[in-house]
């Protein structure tokens, strides 16, 4: 007769339900401990990204969380979900940035991202002539 039980939003508090909840809590605690360990390992990692710039030092694109995640995987060998990287907006300027990676509720790693200008070879340089 209970509305919540009928809609399967709740179950009766019996021994079986308590065991299920305890198992879920243990799994969640283990997951959070693993994420905290990964955050500890990633904390302080330095990543260098290259970006192609124009004549005035402006980017042709932007450095996004996906770019940071890919380079972080190359550096550490660990796959990090791009949605875990807390980047307010894409990076559009050269420089050093400190980025937070929130792996779990209390597991946050801070990495250093350095964006440098991509060096071009003579064959890749475009001529800039004023006509």
């Amino acid at each position: 007769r209970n509305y919540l039980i009928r809609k399967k939003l709740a179950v009766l508090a019996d021994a079986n339900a308590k065991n299920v909840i305890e198992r879920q809590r243990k799994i969640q605690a283990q997951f959070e401990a693993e994420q905290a360990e990964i955050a500890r390992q990633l904390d302080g990692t330095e990543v260098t990204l290259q970006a192609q710039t124009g004549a005035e030092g402006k980017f042709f694109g932007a450095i996004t969380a996906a770019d940071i995640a890919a380079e972080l995987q190359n550096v550490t060998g660990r796959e990090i979900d791009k949605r875990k990287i807390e980047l307010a907006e894409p990076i559009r300027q050269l420089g050093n940035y400190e980025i937070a990676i929130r792996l779990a509720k209390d597991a946050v790693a801070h990495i250093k991202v350095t964006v440098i200008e991509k060096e071009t070879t003579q064959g890749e340089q475009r001529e800039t002539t004023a006509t």
Side-chain angles (χ1 to χ4, degrees):
R1 293 181 186 186
N2 188 311
Y3 176 80
L4 295 175
I5 294 174
R6 249 186 322 163
K7 295 291 184 178
K8 300 193 189 269
L9 298 174
V11 294
L12 289 176
D14 59 1
N16 187 31
K18 289 180 183 179
N19 289 338
V20 169
I21 290 172
E22 283 301 315
R23 274 186 274 151
Q24 289 175 344
R25 285 185 182 159
K26 287 179 184 178
I27 291 170
Q28 183 66 25
Q30 181 181 6
F31 174 76
E32 288 178 4
E34 290 171 358
Q35 295 303 313
E37 178 63 25
I38 292 170
R40 189 189 60 74
Q41 291 172 357
L42 288 177
D43 204 29
T45 302
E46 295 183 17
V47 176
T48 302
L49 295 166
Q50 295 183 351
Q52 190 172 3
T53 58
E56 298 174 7
K58 295 190 177 190
F59 278 14
F60 287 123
I63 303 294
T64 63
D67 298 327
I68 295 171
E71 187 61 27
L72 201 57
Q73 183 175 0
N74 290 341
V75 171
T76 64
R78 231 178 245 291
E79 187 173 340
I80 304 297
D81 187 6
K82 67 181 181 181
R83 294 173 293 194
K84 304 284 185 181
I85 298 174
E86 294 183 345
L87 193 58
E89 59 184 37
I91 298 171
R92 299 185 192 279
Q93 295 180 351
L94 300 176
N96 298 321
Y97 300 90
E98 186 157 328
I99 308 291
I101 301 174
R102 185 170 301 279
L103 297 170
K105 182 180 177 184
D106 294 330
V108 178
H110 296 280
I111 64 168
K112 294 176 182 153
V113 176
T114 304
V115 182
I116 60 174
E117 185 174 358
K118 185 175 185 180
E119 296 180 15
T120 57
T121 61
Q122 289 293 342
E124 293 179 4
Q125 287 182 351
R126 292 187 231 165
E127 290 183 30
T128 55
T129 57
T131 54

